[in-house]
Amino acid sequence: MTPNSRVENLLQKMTVEEKVGQLHQVYCESPVDPAGIRAGEIGSIIYSNGAYAGNDRQTAIPADETNALQKAARESRHGIPLLVARDVIHGYRTIAPIPLGQAASWSPADIEACTRVAATEAAADGINWIFAPVADVGRDPRWGRVAEGYGEDPLLSGTLIAAAVRGTQSVEGVAACVKHFAGYGAVEGGRDYNTAEITPHTLRNVYLPSFKAAVDAGVKTVMSCFNSLGGLPATANRRLLTEILKDEWGFEGPIVSDWNGIGELIEHGVAEDLRIAARLAMIAGIDVDMVSKGYRDHMPSLIAAGDISIGKLDDAVRRVLNLKDSLGLFDRQPADSSRATSVQLSSANQETVLDLARKSLVLLKNRDGLLPLGEQRKIGLFGPLIHARQTLCGTWNLDGRESDVVPLETAIRAQMKPGQELVMAELADEAIYRARSCDIAIVVLGEHHAVSGEANSVTRLELPHGQEQFLEGVKNLGIPIVTVILAGRPLAIPRVLEHSDALLWAWHPGTVGARAVAEVLFGVCNPSGKLPVSFPRSVGQVPVYYNRLRTGRPLDPLARGESRYVDERDAPLFPFGFGLSYSSFRYADLRVDPSGDGFEISCRVENQSPRSGEETVQLYVRDRVASATRPVKELKGFTRVSLTAGAAATARVMIGRDDLGFFDAAERWCVEPGMFDVWIGPHSDVGPAGAFELK
Ligand code: BGC
């Protein structure tokens, strides 16, 4: 860390209590009493009204209020500005698709643009610390927080996380906070906050890379996770926080605990009381205490007793002050309170978010080219979610407003041609009654937003009660059915697939996401989303991620008694990377050419349809023999190609020598010579194959 003279001068002058104040984060519902800030007792605030913030409505934060708080901070003895944090998970006022949906775009550029929009809107209200992005690799759809991350693959997640960090921090004076470090996505049984048991090998190869990508992209802060890992809560885990994150990766910013993470060390059973919890957390490497008050109440006496050294305290305070200085907060003018109205929900912001929503939609089935809709005269729009507004925005929508949301009906009507008629029904019996006279039925099913996100783990992955029967009822009439699913997680829906002639996975697509859905249904937009996570057939298959390690008894469709279930097919319902288009792409002529210290893998992709379209071309490799068991397949790169009708192009992906390495059980990075199989294709299951030798 290069010494910063402003920060070092402050450290010289501050009392222990003032230093501890910088590490103390309070939560508040608007409005906040500025007295504690003026007294130098509070270094940051989290604007949130409780631990289940992701599921609760929140009070808006007016810029006048954050300005008043900053004024109080400037009036404190050292005039140190305040960090003002908010969970801006997928948009502030203009809500983008949930992150899992964003990941289906496989588009770092769009994610960078949308995180910039979110940060710009939040900054207009004086927010300078954004508690996102979520780098937790999610392999278990029972865990509600899969909605918040970028899926099951470390490379895809890491690439998109880096884009989100760049987008957020491209806004002057805003810090991103990558979370939840680390291994939270592996909670046992998919039950939120539960224990995670991850071997060092899997931690290094699967769960840490997206955090490393965030650090390499310059993320300014990191949040630790709630769960324990290998028998030790992350909040007290020195190996994770200090040895790996700070020492090995050279992370220089502050680490903030998750909500009352320090207090929870008592419930974890590793601390008798809050004083011991505070000591453990500080030793482990937690710099900022989110809301537990453990640092505020006990750090001065821990210092006095010599249980925590002043050097350790100074290191934590230095990280916070350096952050404040690097954001320019010491010299910042108050936020212009009239700016929010012109910035938030601007048409430019809505357009940017709409672009991402378009790319996030995944077409999973399209029997006989039923979609896009054509000349059907009477269109039915049925299902319990046809009037959804909040649900379109998904979990962790704290600042979006219901009245801003474009509902499906409006979006669909905007695409209808003269002479077309829309009939609607929310209830099954009414839908069946009305569907009789329709030429086509669009059935909108899925999950309410309140059942995904934090603390929302499930044991069943089918649609909510009655929805499958709803679909069956309409299906029995014999009219073509387009099913649109709104959901925060992958669901196991083989029967829905069977009953649907076309199936569009829309996630929770955001404020203007319904427009994207309507554009895809009517063919104004050609779908291009690809699943960032495998979809199971049944909950018993979970986890069913594609990049599983090889076994001594590989899955083989012809073999009996191998590593498989006797009562379920082996393959997931949809493989990782899957997604259809209205165009059809043909892959051929895979080539491997040495390039630099690695290889250029290329493949000819031809659009064999009369429609222009975009395709995400995916490259997978398998290490044939290594000193450790390696995955059956691993994503190593991807690229998006745009092809007009009948056009062909060569898609190229580079693999460097280092991209072929892995961590072994002793956490050593190994790049081993030998043969590698390689595939380029439209998803993780198919595509022309080749091989190359790493010398
Ligand atoms: C969540 C975090 C969030 C924090 C502050 C916690 O319950 O796990 O993701 O940033 O609350 O709202």
Side-chain angles (χ1 to χ4, degrees):
M1 224 182 272
T2 341
N4 169 325
S5 54
R6 168 182 263 156
V7 170
E8 296 310 317
N9 280 337
L10 278 171
L11 281 170
Q12 297 282 318
K13 291 191 251 163
M14 290 165 82
T15 62
V16 165
E17 285 71 17
E18 284 166 340
K19 288 178 180 175
V20 172
Q22 288 304 307
L23 312 183
H24 176 48
Q25 179 170 89
V26 297
Y27 80 96
C28 46
E29 274 186 88
S30 188
V32 183
D33 176 12
I37 298 171
R38 202 171 287 118
E41 292 163 0
I42 296 168
S44 61
I45 59 176
I46 158 78
Y47 259 102
S48 170
N49 63 5
Y52 298 102
N55 310 310
D56 291 344
R57 293 305 302 143
Q58 300 271 314
T59 323
I61 307 164
D64 286 344
E65 188 177 306
T66 52
N67 282 339
L69 299 181
Q70 291 294 9
K71 184 166 171 288
R74 273 197 308 277
E75 288 163 2
S76 64
R77 197 164 80 98
H78 301 292
I80 300 172
L82 198 65
L83 288 166
V84 181
R86 182 74 153 175
D87 292 292
V88 183
I89 308 300
H90 54 114
Y92 188 71
R93 177 82 186 267
T94 316
I95 304 296
I98 53 165
L100 191 62
Q102 297 184 19
S105 72
W106 295 53
S107 173
D110 283 275
I111 287 175
E112 188 169 336
C114 283
T115 45
R116 183 178 165 80
V117 162
T120 309
E121 292 192 351
D125 280 340
I127 306 298
N128 52 32
W129 195 3
I130 286 183
F131 282 170
V134 173
D136 300 315
V137 161
R139 291 172 152 189
D140 189 334
R142 294 172 299 179
W143 187 51
R145 302 199 86 168
V146 286
E148 297 177 47
Y150 289 137
E152 75 185 25
D153 182 77
L155 176 82
L156 179 62
S157 167
T159 309
L160 303 181
I161 283 292
V165 168
R166 287 194 303 271
T168 305
Q169 295 188 165
S170 69
V171 176
E172 214 194 320
V174 177
C177 181
V178 71
K179 63 191 191 182
H180 309 82
F181 194 72
Y184 190 25
V187 284
E188 281 181 359
R191 191 159 58 77
D192 204 8
Y193 315 124
N194 200 6
T195 301
E197 285 294 332
I198 311 174
T199 60
H201 159 257
T202 302
L203 182 71
R204 289 286 189 169
N205 288 313
V206 178
Y207 290 96
L208 291 188
S210 29
F211 287 95
K212 180 68 165 50
V215 171
D216 291 346
V219 74
K220 286 180 182 287
T221 72
V222 176
M223 187 187 298
S224 58
C225 56
F226 286 122
N227 57 285
S228 68
L229 186 67
L232 197 57
T235 316
N237 200 318
R238 191 180 144 78
R239 167 87 187 125
L240 261 187
L241 305 181
T242 297
E243 291 178 18
I244 296 180
L245 179 55
K246 289 182 176 173
D247 295 348
E248 187 186 318
W249 295 357
F251 175 67
E252 294 186 346
I255 303 177
V256 58
S257 75
D258 202 343
W259 186 280
N260 191 35
I262 297 179
E264 287 185 11
L265 291 178
I266 301 169
E267 277 303 321
H268 271 289
V270 299
E272 241 170 84
D273 55 32
L274 194 57
R275 179 186 159 87
I276 297 177
R279 182 175 153 265
L280 288 177
M282 180 56 100
I283 290 170
I286 297 286
D287 302 302
V288 176
D289 168 9
M290 193 196 299
V291 313
S292 90
K293 305 191 181 89
Y295 283 6
R296 184 197 68 178
D297 293 350
H298 301 290
M299 200 50 66
S301 73
L302 285 166
I303 301 274
D307 285 338
I308 296 290
S309 72
I310 194 80
K312 181 82 190 133
L313 177 70
D314 281 356
D315 175 71
V317 180
R318 187 175 283 117
R319 287 169 186 266
V320 172
L321 295 179
N322 277 341
L323 170 67
K324 291 183 173 182
D325 191 48
S326 80
L327 292 174
L329 300 185
F330 284 95
D331 311 307
R332 170 116 326 153
Q333 295 306 310
D336 169 0
S337 51
S338 64
R339 203 173 117 78
T341 21
S342 61
V343 167
Q344 294 168 355
L345 203 72
S346 69
S347 41
N349 291 358
Q350 292 188 46
E351 266 313 309
T352 307
V353 160
L354 178 59
D355 266 344
L356 179 55
R358 289 181 180 118
K359 292 178 182 137
S360 74
L361 302 175
V362 189
L363 182 65
L364 293 173
K365 180 176 183 182
N366 196 15
R367 183 184 286 152
D368 303 328
L370 176 64
L371 286 177
L373 299 177
E375 300 308 313
Q376 294 92 347
R377 202 190 52 79
K378 200 165 176 183
I379 300 170
L381 180 62
F382 303 130
L385 294 174
I386 55 174
H387 299 303
R389 281 175 182 262
Q390 277 297 341
T391 288
L392 287 174
C393 290
T395 183
W396 281 113
N397 162 24
L398 306 188
D399 297 285
R401 300 187 193 162
E402 224 173 302
S403 53
D404 298 338
V405 177
V406 178
L408 276 165
E409 177 191 349
T410 312
I412 287 177
R413 285 195 192 280
Q415 295 299 335
M416 283 166 49
K417 299 181 190 71
Q420 282 187 316
E421 188 191 337
L422 189 67
V423 295
M424 295 189 293
E426 275 176 284
L427 300 178
D429 52 353
E430 191 191 355
I432 292 165
Y433 170 75
R434 295 198 182 281
R436 285 184 181 283
S437 61
C438 291
D439 301 304
I440 192 160
I442 302 168
V443 183
V444 185
L445 304 172
E447 288 186 320
H448 190 264
H449 62 282
V451 300
S452 76
E454 186 173 350
N456 287 317
S457 303
V458 295
T459 60
R460 295 182 185 84
L461 287 174
E462 58 267 25
L463 285 172
H465 293 293
Q467 292 196 11
E468 212 172 282
Q469 288 89 329
F470 189 124
L471 184 67
E472 257 177 56
V474 182
K475 174 71 186 169
N476 287 343
L477 302 174
I479 58 167
I481 294 195
V482 176
T483 305
V484 176
I485 306 269
L486 304 172
R489 53 162 63 81
L491 295 171
I493 45 145
R495 282 155 60 90
V496 172
L497 179 65
E498 220 175 277
H499 294 322
S500 308
D501 298 292
L503 178 60
L504 182 68
W505 205 267
W507 315 102
H508 290 140
T511 310
V512 289
R515 282 207 183 118
V517 172
E519 287 179 8
V520 164
L521 294 177
F522 284 83
V524 178
C525 166
N526 190 350
S528 61
K530 302 272 191 177
L531 297 177
V533 64
S534 310
F535 272 38
R537 282 176 191 280
S538 56
V539 72
Q541 270 187 333
V542 171
V544 70
Y545 53 89
Y546 85 98
N547 46 354
R548 60 188 183 275
L549 294 186
R550 289 163 67 180
T551 69
R553 299 208 169 182
L555 281 176
D556 172 351
L558 302 176
R560 288 168 64 88
E562 305 296 354
S563 169
R564 65 190 330 166
Y565 299 106
V566 290
D567 62 348
E568 183 54 280
R569 285 194 246 170
D570 307 320
L573 189 61
F574 294 108
F576 175 80
F578 183 81
L580 303 170
S581 157
Y582 296 148
S583 312
S584 51
F585 300 101
R586 180 172 168 269
Y587 286 69
D589 306 336
L590 183 137
R591 277 182 61 106
V592 180
D593 295 298
S595 168
D597 73 344
F599 302 89
E600 182 192 89
I601 322 282
S602 60
C603 177
R604 198 178 136 82
V605 184
E606 188 186 342
N607 180 353
Q608 293 188 309
S609 73
R611 275 200 73 125
S612 300
E614 286 194 30
E615 171 76 339
T616 296
V617 176
Q618 304 162 32
L619 180 128
Y620 297 88
V621 305
R622 170 169 38 204
D623 192 344
R624 276 196 200 161
V625 182
S627 58
T629 307
R630 304 292 304 126
V632 291
K633 233 173 218 193
E634 281 181 290
L635 182 74
K636 286 295 174 194
F638 56 92
T639 180
R640 220 174 149 88
V641 292
S642 193
L643 293 172
T644 53
T650 301
R652 296 188 163 81
V653 183
M654 305 295 300
I655 308 187
R657 201 182 162 76
D658 226 34
D659 298 329
L660 296 165
F662 62 91
F663 286 96
D664 68 9
E667 298 182 61
R668 279 182 310 240
W669 180 248
C670 311
V671 182
E672 297 178 351
M675 291 301 296
F676 288 79
D677 295 309
V678 59
W679 297 262
I680 284 197
H683 59 80
S684 58
D685 240 15
V686 295
F692 60 85
E693 184 177 2
L694 183 70
K695 297 244 163 65

